[in-house]
Amino acid sequence: MKTPHLGEFVEGDLGRVLRALSVADRDGDHAGFSAQCRRHAAELDADRDMWLRVPRQLRENVRANMEAMRPFMLTAQRIARELDMLGHPAALRQLSGVDRRGSLEKLHETDVLVEDGDFEAADRLLREMLGEGSADDGWTAIIYSRMATHATVRNDLDAAIEHARRAHDLARRSGHPSMTRASEVLDDLLTAREMRRGSTEGRRLNACREDLTHAQRLSDRALFVESNRALLRLFDELDAYAEDSPVRSFLGKLCGLLGLNCFHLGDRDEARAWTRKALNECRRRGDGVGEKVYAANLKEIEGRDSDDRHYPRNVPGPRR
């Protein structure tokens, strides 16, 4: 499907400005894009509702293929950010949810419908919200997350996983704070489906999750040696699986917890090595949130190396 340009269904001068901005954006003409935003900032700000929502003619395209429509959405997001830097914050605030009370009320309405058992009406309302075409990936991720939740309630794991995967991808690309939770939900759903199928993979995933949770609890009780003992056994098991095995998705968290425990035990060399491994695992999997956390942990560990050489056991460790 050929992705239309922003402004394709907007008439007059505003439509021409939007189409020119869309072309500049997709061509990578950053200087031209910024110049046009400056030139037409007042007009774009005043008529922001015309380009912050997908036109009625394109809503079915959004429902059918959000990925193909992504360039359309991205141009709107970039215009909003440019206007914000030019002293016109309203469009970016609208994308960020400050002016989204009506949509939040609709989201709550879908929960009420699900509680009443009217899944069809809830699903229809959520799809209408998608069709309204917010250009904010983070907000769209929230809608897909709610669709995943509703599908789980009605015991349709295949649909739930499809929606959760879209929510995860959108949250990751936008850097939305829901990224970590979206990742956990997707992992939980994939595990539940494999367990339902009675597959070996499902049993492995569940066992690994339980082992990692046990090690985390030991660490929370300051039993760092015992936690590391359990983690090293699990690491040897996971490291033996093929690179594409879903079970290896736990490696980033596992290595990060090993690094945290070593940090608390005063072994900075081991803390640094395991945290760097956690960071590399997150990079390999495209886990932007985990990458930020472990990069910060590594910075803190290395910062301690420049302090006195006696590790103070009561110093708080890196973030989990």
Side-chain angles (χ1 to χ4, degrees):
M1 179 182 72
K2 182 179 179 181
T3 306
H5 283 290
L6 192 69
E8 194 117 342
F9 295 94
V10 179
E11 297 180 354
D13 291 338
L14 179 63
R16 286 191 289 274
V17 170
L18 290 169
R19 287 192 293 276
L21 282 166
S22 182
V23 170
D25 184 33
R26 294 189 199 178
D27 288 348
D29 181 7
H30 305 302
F33 182 85
S34 296
Q36 290 188 69
C37 283
R38 283 195 302 273
R39 190 178 308 121
H40 302 285
E43 179 185 2
L44 290 166
D45 179 58
D47 295 325
R48 58 186 176 275
D49 286 339
M50 295 291 290
W51 52 271
L52 284 177
R53 293 187 180 278
V54 174
R56 176 180 49 79
Q57 298 93 326
L58 297 178
R59 290 177 186 173
E60 189 56 42
N61 292 9
V62 173
R63 295 189 188 100
N65 194 341
M66 174 65 76
E67 187 61 30
M69 289 294 293
R70 183 169 171 76
F72 184 100
M73 306 292 199
L74 285 176
T75 297
Q77 291 179 37
R78 287 165 183 152
I79 293 173
R81 287 196 292 268
E82 196 76 29
L83 290 178
D84 182 59
M85 290 188 290
L86 292 169
H88 298 280
L92 190 60
R93 289 179 57 200
Q94 191 166 327
L95 283 181
S96 301
V98 176
D99 301 322
R100 192 176 278 140
R101 292 180 183 175
S103 295
L104 288 172
E105 289 173 1
K106 287 183 182 179
L107 204 60
H108 176 66
E109 184 182 344
T110 67
D111 292 338
V112 173
L113 288 169
V114 167
E115 289 175 6
D116 292 340
D118 196 346
F119 296 106
E120 185 177 340
D123 188 64
R124 184 166 56 248
L125 183 55
L126 286 168
R127 291 188 180 280
E128 285 177 5
M129 293 171 69
L130 283 178
E132 289 172 359
S134 166
D136 180 10
D137 281 351
W139 176 247
T140 306
I142 290 172
I143 297 175
Y144 274 118
S145 292
R146 198 59 56 95
M147 294 174 77
T149 300
H150 295 174
T152 303
V153 171
R154 66 175 185 266
N155 210 25
D156 187 349
L157 288 182
D158 287 337
I161 288 170
E162 179 184 349
H163 297 320
R165 185 169 281 119
R166 289 187 180 183
H168 175 267
D169 290 344
L170 288 163
R172 182 181 63 188
R173 290 168 180 170
S174 64
H176 195 268
S178 65
M179 165 62 194
T180 300
R181 179 57 184 158
S183 180
E184 291 172 353
V185 168
L186 181 57
D187 284 345
D188 287 344
L189 287 169
L190 289 168
T191 301
R193 185 170 67 179
E194 292 305 315
M195 289 181 65
R196 175 180 291 182
R197 292 172 175 173
S199 70
T200 302
E201 195 79 348
R203 289 191 293 273
R204 286 172 180 163
L205 285 166
N206 191 52
C208 289
R209 187 184 299 277
E210 289 179 354
D211 289 346
L212 191 54
T213 299
H214 173 65
Q216 178 70 70
R217 288 171 180 160
L218 289 173
S219 179
D220 290 342
R221 291 164 53 198
L223 299 173
F224 305 119
V225 173
E226 294 83 349
S227 177
N228 274 0
R229 191 177 297 127
L231 289 167
L232 287 169
R233 284 197 301 268
L234 183 57
F235 176 81
D236 288 340
E237 179 184 344
L238 298 189
D239 201 42
Y241 286 112
E243 285 290 329
D244 59 348
S245 172
V247 178
R248 290 180 65 92
S249 65
F250 295 108
L251 274 175
K253 171 67 174 177
L254 187 155
C255 294
L257 186 53
L258 274 165
L260 176 68
N261 289 342
C262 291
F263 184 91
H264 281 300
L265 291 168
D267 190 341
R268 284 172 289 193
D269 290 338
E270 283 293 295
R272 186 188 304 107
W274 283 112
T275 304
R276 185 172 287 120
K277 188 170 182 62
L279 177 61
N280 291 335
E281 279 294 325
C282 290
R283 283 174 175 163
R284 187 180 63 80
R285 293 186 62 228
D287 179 358
V289 174
E291 185 176 343
K292 289 180 182 178
V293 169
Y294 295 125
N297 287 2
L298 191 59
K299 182 178 180 180
E300 184 172 348
I301 292 167
E302 292 175 340
R304 294 294 175 191
D305 286 343
S306 63
D307 296 340
D308 60 81
R309 303 307 297 176
H310 299 287
Y311 176 74
R313 296 296 182 90
N314 62 338
V315 173
R319 295 186 300 279
R320 288 188 182 87

Coordinates of all heavy atoms in Angstrom, one line a residue, residues 22-84:
S22 N 5.6 17.0 4.4 CA 5.7 15.5 4.3 C 6.7 15.0 3.3 O 7.5 14.1 3.6 CB 4.3 14.9 3.9 OG 4.3 13.5 3.9
V23 N 6.8 15.7 2.2 CA 7.8 15.3 1.2 C 9.2 15.6 1.7 O 10.1 14.8 1.6 CB 7.6 16.1 -0.1 CG1 8.8 15.9 -1.1 CG2 6.3 15.6 -0.8
A24 N 9.4 16.8 2.4 CA 10.7 17.1 2.9 C 11.1 16.2 4.0 O 12.3 15.7 4.1 CB 10.6 18.6 3.5
D25 N 10.1 15.8 4.8 CA 10.4 14.8 5.9 C 10.9 13.5 5.4 O 11.9 12.9 5.8 CB 9.2 14.6 6.8 CG 9.4 13.7 8.0 OD1 10.5 13.8 8.5 OD2 8.4 13.0 8.4
R26 N 10.2 12.9 4.4 CA 10.5 11.6 3.9 C 11.8 11.6 3.0 O 12.5 10.6 2.9 CB 9.4 11.1 3.0 CG 8.1 10.8 3.9 CD 7.1 10.0 3.1 NE 5.8 10.2 3.7 CZ 4.6 9.6 3.2 NH1 4.7 9.0 2.0 NH2 3.5 9.8 3.8
D27 N 12.1 12.8 2.5 CA 13.3 12.9 1.7 C 14.6 13.2 2.6 O 15.7 13.3 2.1 CB 13.2 14.1 0.7 CG 12.3 13.7 -0.5 OD1 11.9 12.5 -0.6 OD2 11.9 14.6 -1.3
G28 N 14.3 13.4 3.9 CA 15.4 13.7 4.8 C 15.9 15.1 4.7 O 17.1 15.4 5.1
D29 N 15.1 16.0 4.1 CA 15.5 17.4 4.0 C 15.2 18.2 5.3 O 14.2 18.9 5.4 CB 14.8 18.1 2.8 CG 15.1 19.5 2.6 OD1 16.1 20.0 3.3 OD2 14.5 20.2 1.8
H30 N 16.0 17.9 6.3 CA 15.8 18.5 7.6 C 15.8 20.0 7.7 O 14.9 20.6 8.4 CB 16.8 17.9 8.6 CG 16.9 16.4 8.7 ND1 15.8 15.6 8.9 CD2 17.9 15.6 8.4 CE1 16.1 14.4 8.9 NE2 17.4 14.3 8.5
A31 N 16.7 20.6 6.9 CA 16.8 22.1 6.9 C 15.5 22.7 6.3 O 14.9 23.6 6.8 CB 18.0 22.5 6.2
G32 N 15.1 22.1 5.1 CA 13.9 22.6 4.5 C 12.6 22.3 5.3 O 11.7 23.2 5.4
F33 N 12.6 21.2 6.0 CA 11.5 20.9 6.9 C 11.4 21.9 8.0 O 10.3 22.5 8.3 CB 11.7 19.5 7.5 CG 10.5 19.0 8.4 CD1 9.4 18.4 7.9 CD2 10.6 19.2 9.8 CE1 8.4 18.0 8.7 CE2 9.6 18.8 10.6 CZ 8.5 18.2 10.1
S34 N 12.5 22.2 8.7 CA 12.5 23.2 9.8 C 12.1 24.6 9.3 O 11.4 25.3 9.9 CB 13.9 23.2 10.4 OG 14.1 22.0 11.0
A35 N 12.6 25.0 8.1 CA 12.4 26.3 7.6 C 10.9 26.5 7.3 O 10.3 27.5 7.6 CB 13.2 26.5 6.3
Q36 N 10.2 25.4 6.7 CA 8.8 25.5 6.4 C 8.0 25.6 7.7 O 7.0 26.3 7.8 CB 8.4 24.4 5.5 CG 8.9 24.4 4.1 CD 8.3 23.4 3.2 OE1 7.2 23.4 2.9 NE2 9.2 22.4 2.9
C37 N 8.4 24.8 8.7 CA 7.7 24.9 10.0 C 7.8 26.3 10.6 O 6.8 26.8 11.1 CB 8.3 23.9 11.0 SG 7.8 22.2 10.7
R38 N 9.0 26.9 10.5 CA 9.1 28.3 11.0 C 8.2 29.2 10.2 O 7.5 30.1 10.8 CB 10.6 28.7 10.9 CG 11.5 28.2 12.0 CD 12.8 28.9 12.0 NE 13.5 28.9 10.8 CZ 14.3 28.0 10.4 NH1 14.5 26.9 11.2 NH2 14.9 28.0 9.2
R39 N 8.2 29.1 8.9 CA 7.4 30.0 8.1 C 5.9 29.9 8.3 O 5.2 30.9 8.2 CB 7.8 29.7 6.6 CG 7.2 30.7 5.6 CD 7.6 30.4 4.2 NE 9.1 30.2 4.1 CZ 9.7 29.1 3.7 NH1 8.9 28.0 3.3 NH2 11.0 29.0 3.6
H40 N 5.5 28.7 8.6 CA 4.0 28.5 8.7 C 3.6 28.1 10.1 O 2.5 27.5 10.3 CB 3.6 27.4 7.7 CG 3.9 27.7 6.3 ND1 3.2 28.6 5.5 CD2 4.9 27.2 5.5 CE1 3.7 28.7 4.3 NE2 4.7 27.8 4.2
A41 N 4.4 28.4 11.1 CA 4.1 28.0 12.5 C 2.8 28.4 13.0 O 2.0 27.6 13.6 CB 5.2 28.5 13.4
A42 N 2.4 29.7 12.8 CA 1.1 30.2 13.3 C 0.0 29.4 12.7 O -1.0 29.1 13.4 CB 1.0 31.7 13.0
E43 N 0.0 29.2 11.4 CA -1.1 28.5 10.7 C -1.2 27.1 11.1 O -2.3 26.6 11.4 CB -0.8 28.6 9.2 CG -1.9 27.9 8.3 CD -1.5 27.9 6.8 OE1 -0.4 28.4 6.5 OE2 -2.3 27.4 6.1
L44 N 0.0 26.4 11.2 CA 0.0 25.0 11.6 C -0.5 24.9 13.1 O -1.3 23.9 13.4 CB 1.4 24.4 11.5 CG 1.9 24.3 10.1 CD1 3.5 24.0 10.2 CD2 1.2 23.1 9.4
D45 N -0.2 25.8 13.9 CA -0.7 25.8 15.3 C -2.2 26.0 15.4 O -2.9 25.3 16.1 CB 0.1 26.8 16.1 CG -0.4 26.8 17.6 OD1 -0.3 25.7 18.2 OD2 -0.8 27.8 18.1
A46 N -2.7 27.0 14.6 CA -4.1 27.3 14.7 C -5.0 26.2 14.1 O -6.1 26.0 14.6 CB -4.3 28.6 13.9
D47 N -4.5 25.5 13.1 CA -5.3 24.5 12.4 C -4.8 23.1 12.8 O -4.9 22.1 12.0 CB -5.2 24.7 10.9 CG -5.9 26.0 10.5 OD1 -6.9 26.3 11.1 OD2 -5.4 26.6 9.5
R48 N -4.2 22.9 14.0 CA -3.6 21.6 14.3 C -4.5 20.4 14.3 O -4.1 19.3 14.0 CB -2.9 21.7 15.7 CG -3.8 22.1 16.8 CD -3.0 22.3 18.1 NE -3.9 22.7 19.2 CZ -4.2 23.9 19.4 NH1 -3.8 24.9 18.7 NH2 -5.0 24.3 20.4
D49 N -5.8 20.6 14.6 CA -6.7 19.5 14.5 C -6.9 18.9 13.1 O -7.3 17.8 13.0 CB -8.1 19.9 15.1 CG -8.1 20.1 16.6 OD1 -7.2 19.5 17.2 OD2 -9.0 20.8 17.1
M50 N -6.5 19.7 12.1 CA -6.6 19.2 10.7 C -5.5 18.2 10.4 O -5.7 17.4 9.5 CB -6.5 20.4 9.8 CG -7.7 21.4 9.9 SD -9.2 20.7 9.3 CE -8.9 20.6 7.5
W51 N -4.4 18.2 11.1 CA -3.3 17.3 10.8 C -2.9 16.4 11.9 O -2.1 15.5 11.7 CB -2.1 18.0 10.3 CG -1.6 19.2 11.1 CD1 -2.0 20.5 11.1 CD2 -0.6 19.1 12.2 NE1 -1.3 21.2 12.1 CE2 -0.4 20.3 12.7 CE3 0.2 18.0 12.6 CZ2 0.5 20.6 13.8 CZ3 1.1 18.3 13.7 CH2 1.2 19.6 14.2
L52 N -3.5 16.5 13.1 CA -3.2 15.6 14.2 C -4.1 14.4 14.2 O -3.9 13.5 15.0 CB -3.4 16.4 15.5 CG -2.3 17.4 15.9 CD1 -2.6 18.1 17.2 CD2 -0.9 16.7 16.0
R53 N -5.0 14.3 13.3 CA -5.9 13.1 13.2 C -5.9 12.7 11.8 O -5.8 13.4 10.8 CB -7.3 13.5 13.6 CG -7.4 13.8 15.1 CD -8.9 13.9 15.5 NE -9.0 14.2 16.9 CZ -9.0 13.3 17.9 NH1 -8.8 12.0 17.6 NH2 -9.1 13.7 19.1
V54 N -6.0 11.3 11.6 CA -6.0 10.8 10.3 C -7.3 11.1 9.6 O -8.4 11.0 10.2 CB -5.8 9.2 10.3 CG1 -6.0 8.6 9.0 CG2 -4.5 8.9 10.9
P55 N -7.3 11.6 8.4 CA -8.6 11.9 7.7 C -9.5 10.7 7.6 O -9.1 9.5 7.6 CB -8.1 12.3 6.3 CG -6.7 12.7 6.5 CD -6.2 11.9 7.5
R56 N -10.8 10.9 7.5 CA -11.8 9.9 7.5 C -11.5 8.9 6.3 O -11.6 7.7 6.4 CB -13.2 10.5 7.3 CG -14.3 9.5 7.1 CD -15.6 10.2 6.9 NE -15.5 11.3 5.9 CZ -15.6 11.1 4.6 NH1 -15.7 9.8 4.1 NH2 -15.5 12.1 3.8
Q57 N -11.0 9.4 5.2 CA -10.7 8.6 4.0 C -9.6 7.6 4.2 O -9.5 6.6 3.5 CB -10.4 9.5 2.8 CG -11.5 10.5 2.4 CD -11.3 11.8 3.0 OE1 -10.9 11.9 4.2 NE2 -11.7 12.9 2.3
L58 N -8.8 7.8 5.3 CA -7.6 6.9 5.5 C -7.8 6.1 6.7 O -6.9 5.3 7.0 CB -6.4 7.8 5.6 CG -5.9 8.6 4.4 CD1 -4.7 9.4 4.7 CD2 -5.7 7.7 3.2
R59 N -8.9 6.2 7.4 CA -9.0 5.4 8.7 C -9.0 3.9 8.5 O -8.5 3.2 9.3 CB -10.3 5.9 9.4 CG -10.1 7.3 10.0 CD -11.3 7.8 10.6 NE -11.2 9.2 11.0 CZ -12.1 10.0 11.5 NH1 -13.3 9.5 11.7 NH2 -11.9 11.3 11.8
E60 N -9.6 3.5 7.4 CA -9.6 2.0 7.2 C -8.2 1.5 6.9 O -7.8 0.4 7.3 CB -10.5 1.7 6.0 CG -10.7 0.2 5.8 CD -11.3 -0.5 7.0 OE1 -12.2 0.1 7.7 OE2 -10.8 -1.6 7.4
N61 N -7.4 2.4 6.2 CA -6.0 2.0 6.0 C -5.2 1.8 7.3 O -4.4 0.9 7.5 CB -5.3 3.1 5.2 CG -5.8 3.2 3.8 OD1 -6.8 2.6 3.4 ND2 -5.1 4.0 2.9
V62 N -5.5 2.7 8.3 CA -4.9 2.6 9.6 C -5.3 1.3 10.3 O -4.4 0.6 10.9 CB -5.3 3.8 10.5 CG1 -4.7 3.7 11.9 CG2 -4.7 5.1 9.9
R63 N -6.5 1.0 10.3 CA -7.0 -0.2 10.9 C -6.4 -1.5 10.2 O -6.0 -2.4 10.9 CB -8.5 -0.3 10.8 CG -9.3 0.7 11.5 CD -10.8 0.4 11.6 NE -11.6 1.5 12.1 CZ -12.2 2.4 11.4 NH1 -12.2 2.3 10.1 NH2 -12.9 3.3 12.0
A64 N -6.3 -1.4 8.9 CA -5.8 -2.6 8.2 C -4.3 -2.8 8.3 O -3.8 -3.9 8.4 CB -6.2 -2.5 6.7
N65 N -3.5 -1.6 8.3 CA -2.1 -1.8 8.2 C -1.4 -0.5 8.9 O -1.0 0.4 8.2 CB -1.6 -1.9 6.8 CG -0.1 -2.4 6.7 OD1 0.6 -2.3 7.7 ND2 0.2 -2.9 5.6
M66 N -1.3 -0.6 10.2 CA -0.7 0.5 10.9 C 0.8 0.7 10.5 O 1.2 1.9 10.4 CB -0.8 0.2 12.4 CG -0.1 1.2 13.3 SD -0.8 2.9 13.2 CE -2.3 2.6 14.2
E67 N 1.5 -0.3 10.2 CA 2.9 -0.2 9.9 C 3.1 0.6 8.6 O 4.0 1.4 8.5 CB 3.5 -1.6 9.8 CG 5.0 -1.6 9.6 CD 5.8 -1.0 10.8 OE1 5.2 -1.1 11.9 OE2 6.8 -0.4 10.5
A68 N 2.2 0.3 7.6 CA 2.4 1.0 6.3 C 2.0 2.5 6.5 O 2.6 3.3 5.8 CB 1.4 0.4 5.3
M69 N 1.2 2.8 7.5 CA 0.8 4.2 7.7 C 1.8 4.9 8.6 O 1.6 6.1 8.9 CB -0.6 4.3 8.3 CG -1.7 3.9 7.3 SD -1.9 5.1 5.9 CE -2.5 6.5 6.8
R70 N 2.8 4.3 9.1 CA 3.7 4.9 10.1 C 4.3 6.2 9.6 O 4.4 7.1 10.3 CB 4.7 3.8 10.5 CG 5.7 4.4 11.6 CD 6.5 3.2 12.2 NE 7.5 3.8 13.0 CZ 7.3 4.3 14.2 NH1 6.1 4.3 14.7 NH2 8.3 4.7 14.9
P71 N 4.8 6.2 8.3 CA 5.4 7.5 7.9 C 4.5 8.7 7.9 O 4.9 9.8 8.2 CB 5.8 7.2 6.4 CG 6.0 5.7 6.4 CD 4.9 5.2 7.3
F72 N 3.2 8.4 7.7 CA 2.2 9.5 7.8 C 2.1 10.0 9.2 O 2.1 11.2 9.5 CB 0.8 8.9 7.4 CG -0.3 9.9 7.3 CD1 -0.7 10.4 6.1 CD2 -1.0 10.2 8.5 CE1 -1.8 11.3 6.1 CE2 -2.0 11.1 8.4 CZ -2.5 11.7 7.2
M73 N 2.1 9.1 10.2 CA 2.1 9.5 11.6 C 3.3 10.2 12.0 O 3.3 11.2 12.8 CB 1.9 8.2 12.5 CG 0.7 7.3 12.1 SD -0.9 8.1 12.4 CE -2.0 6.7 12.4
L74 N 4.5 9.7 11.6 CA 5.8 10.3 12.0 C 5.9 11.7 11.6 O 6.4 12.5 12.3 CB 6.9 9.4 11.5 CG 7.2 8.1 12.1 CD1 8.3 7.3 11.4 CD2 7.5 8.3 13.6
T75 N 5.4 12.1 10.4 CA 5.5 13.4 10.0 C 4.7 14.4 10.9 O 5.2 15.4 11.3 CB 5.0 13.6 8.5 OG1 5.8 12.8 7.6 CG2 5.0 15.1 8.1
A76 N 3.5 13.9 11.3 CA 2.8 14.7 12.3 C 3.5 14.9 13.6 O 3.5 16.0 14.2 CB 1.4 14.1 12.5
Q77 N 4.1 13.8 14.1 CA 4.9 13.9 15.3 C 6.0 14.9 15.2 O 6.3 15.7 16.1 CB 5.4 12.5 15.7 CG 4.3 11.5 16.1 CD 4.9 10.2 16.5 OE1 6.0 10.1 17.1 NE2 4.2 9.1 16.1
R78 N 6.7 14.9 14.1 CA 7.9 15.7 13.9 C 7.5 17.2 13.8 O 8.2 18.1 14.2 CB 8.7 15.3 12.7 CG 9.4 14.0 13.0 CD 10.0 13.3 11.7 NE 10.6 12.0 12.1 CZ 10.7 11.0 11.3 NH1 10.2 11.1 10.1 NH2 11.3 9.9 11.7
I79 N 6.3 17.5 13.1 CA 5.8 18.8 13.0 C 5.5 19.3 14.4 O 5.8 20.5 14.8 CB 4.6 18.9 12.1 CG1 5.0 18.6 10.7 CG2 4.0 20.3 12.2 CD1 3.8 18.5 9.7
A80 N 4.9 18.5 15.2 CA 4.5 18.9 16.6 C 5.7 19.2 17.4 O 5.7 20.2 18.2 CB 3.7 17.8 17.3
R81 N 6.8 18.4 17.3 CA 8.0 18.7 18.1 C 8.7 20.0 17.6 O 9.2 20.7 18.4 CB 9.0 17.5 17.9 CG 8.5 16.3 18.7 CD 9.7 15.3 18.9 NE 10.0 14.7 17.7 CZ 9.5 13.5 17.2 NH1 8.6 12.9 17.9 NH2 9.9 13.0 16.1
E82 N 8.6 20.2 16.3 CA 9.3 21.4 15.7 C 8.5 22.7 16.2 O 9.1 23.7 16.6 CB 9.2 21.3 14.2 CG 10.1 22.3 13.5 CD 11.6 21.9 13.5 OE1 11.9 20.7 13.6 OE2 12.4 22.9 13.5
L83 N 7.2 22.6 16.2 CA 6.4 23.7 16.7 C 6.6 24.0 18.1 O 6.7 25.1 18.6 CB 4.9 23.4 16.4 CG 4.4 23.4 15.0 CD1 2.9 23.1 14.9 CD2 4.7 24.8 14.3
D84 N 6.8 22.9 18.9 CA 7.1 23.1 20.3 C 8.4 23.9 20.5 O 8.4 24.8 21.4 CB 7.2 21.7 21.0 CG 7.4 21.8 22.5 OD1 6.6 22.4 23.2 OD2 8.4 21.3 23.0

